[in-house]
Amino acid sequence: MDLKQLEYIVAIEQYGNVTEAASRLFVTPSALNQQLLKLEKELNLLLFTRGRRQMIPTKAGRIYLDTAKQMLNMRQITYAQLQDLSGHLVGTYQIGLSFEHGSDMFARIYPSFNKIYPGVQMRCVQLLVPDMLERLESRQLDIAFILTGDCTKLQSVEYIPLSEENLLLGLPVNHPVVKSLYGDNPPPYPACTFDLNLVRSDDFAFALSRSTMRRDLIDPIFQKAGIAPNIIIESSFNNFLEQLASQGICNAVIPQSRIRNFKDIAWFYLPGHPRFQFGAAYQKNYRLNQAQQAFIQLAKEDAMRHMNFPPPEC
């Protein structure tokens, strides 16, 4: 079996059609279709049932795919073991980074990592967590550094927690609620749990609707309070959300590690004290080599310094 051909067939199953799979593999649809037709001719069996929008594996296709995935896993595990035995670690790895948390972490630790493993290259891409999980499954990423509000949902990957922090609500200091609580002197630290009914009719800036922060934490909190927030802006950039609150444009919800401004914004813990994790994820049955393990350890040390906060005591 040609290993490249195995990757092609697995990608067709993953994305459901030749066009999408070809796009992800950076080949033309016609070239990928020819590979599939060639294989089916050699086997004298159809591997997929062709539908208008989706290709579904046949019984023969399922047998082939199961074996293909095992062989690809065996190749990865073997190469990782051989690299560790040789002590000559070289290679290029595809790394997924969450916006801000992942990218800032990478910028801080890569110089140290590169001194220890100069032969190892990391090719990085910033993505939302759902997209990173999809790319892990399709083998387009080796490791992804993700944010999650509920790690029990990550059943399809191996997951290593690196740090944990709180999600906070920020109100402009000139907000009537802030004035009534603190006058002109809000505290330079998060205050205890806030009653969302006090801001029921306000404007808000949140993370993107597809993000895990929205899906796992923010939206459920407001739904539980019976509030449909008026969201005027969505963004993956927390510093932008903070700027909006500091200018009095709207309220914002951002992670505690991203807070920089206590002068123009009053911060509050949200009901239920929602917390979320920053962690490393990789495909099940994937074997991390020595260099990858070292990189994750550096990431953990950095995350504990910069992105780890205890739960509120109030």
Side-chain angles (χ1 to χ4, degrees):
M1 289 184 176
D2 181 348
L3 290 178
K4 181 61 69 174
Q5 194 175 57
L6 299 182
E7 292 175 350
Y8 286 170
I9 302 306
V10 169
I12 293 173
E13 181 211 17
Q14 169 68 22
Y15 296 107
N17 62 75
V18 168
T19 301
E20 182 66 18
S23 174
R24 302 292 182 140
L25 293 167
F26 302 103
V27 300
T28 64
S30 60
L32 183 55
N33 190 56
Q34 285 301 315
Q35 287 290 327
L36 174 59
L37 293 174
K38 177 183 176 182
L39 178 59
E40 290 180 326
K41 184 177 181 180
E42 291 175 359
L43 298 172
N44 195 30
L45 287 167
L46 287 177
L47 298 180
F48 293 92
T49 300
R50 276 74 164 171
R52 292 183 60 185
R53 296 185 178 180
Q54 187 173 16
M55 298 177 66
I56 301 173
T58 62
K59 183 176 181 179
R62 178 53 55 200
I63 294 171
Y64 187 94
L65 284 162
D66 289 345
T67 302
K69 291 174 183 178
Q70 292 177 32
M71 292 183 68
L72 292 173
N73 285 335
M74 289 175 62
R75 177 186 65 173
Q76 190 280 319
I77 291 170
T78 300
Y79 282 13
Q81 290 175 322
L82 291 174
Q83 284 186 323
D84 287 347
L85 282 174
S86 71
H88 184 58
L89 289 167
V90 296
T92 300
Y93 302 106
Q94 311 298 323
I95 306 297
L97 300 173
S98 58
F99 291 93
E100 297 190 336
H101 282 73
S103 55
D104 287 356
M105 173 277 297
F106 183 87
R108 288 190 293 259
I109 72 171
Y110 186 73
S112 297
F113 175 82
N114 187 243
K115 288 180 182 179
I116 304 170
Y117 299 100
V120 176
Q121 294 185 356
M122 300 289 194
R123 292 184 179 172
C124 302
V125 59
Q126 288 183 305
L127 295 165
L128 292 175
V129 172
D131 298 321
M132 283 194 278
L133 294 176
E134 181 180 290
R135 292 199 184 192
L136 282 175
E137 186 176 352
S138 62
R139 304 171 186 275
Q140 295 181 71
L141 290 178
D142 295 290
I143 304 172
F145 291 90
I146 67 175
L147 298 170
T148 177
D150 185 359
C151 62
T152 63
K153 294 181 179 180
L154 302 174
Q155 299 296 321
S156 62
V157 297
E158 298 291 345
Y159 176 72
I160 302 173
L162 303 180
S163 63
E164 192 170 3
E165 62 182 293
N166 306 296
L167 199 59
L168 302 181
L169 169 68
L171 273 61
V173 292
N174 60 0
H175 193 286
V177 173
V178 177
K179 290 287 189 180
S180 68
L181 292 172
Y182 304 113
D184 295 324
N185 298 296
Y189 51 82
C192 285
T193 305
F194 188 81
D195 183 0
L196 291 179
N197 284 300
L198 296 174
V199 292
R200 176 179 289 272
S201 60
D202 285 9
D203 294 334
F204 290 88
F206 287 166
L208 296 178
S209 60
R210 290 187 64 240
S211 69
T212 52
M213 196 179 303
R214 279 286 299 280
R215 183 189 63 208
D216 293 349
L217 298 175
I218 298 176
D219 289 348
I221 289 169
F222 280 80
Q223 289 168 4
K224 186 175 181 179
I227 296 172
N230 183 37
I231 305 168
I232 63 171
I233 294 178
E234 297 182 352
S235 175
S236 291
F237 299 101
N238 291 294
N239 62 339
F240 173 54
L241 301 180
E242 187 180 52
Q243 288 177 33
L244 295 172
S246 70
Q247 295 296 321
I249 296 172
C250 60
N251 306 329
V253 175
I254 72 172
Q256 190 167 359
S257 67
R258 311 312 300 181
I259 292 173
R260 303 291 182 268
N261 190 334
F262 280 93
K263 177 184 176 183
D264 305 306
I265 307 172
W267 297 98
F268 300 88
Y269 292 111
L270 285 161
H273 301 161
R275 289 170 60 76
F276 68 97
Q277 288 183 345
F278 176 65
Y282 56 96
Q283 193 177 56
K284 287 185 180 294
N285 301 316
Y286 185 97
R287 187 183 190 277
L288 297 171
N289 65 25
Q290 178 183 323
Q292 293 168 325
Q293 292 178 47
F295 189 83
I296 292 174
Q297 180 58 34
L298 286 172
K300 183 176 182 65
E301 293 169 2
D302 179 85
M304 290 298 291
R305 284 194 299 269
H306 297 281
M307 296 179 282
N308 195 65
F309 291 83
E313 296 181 356
C314 55

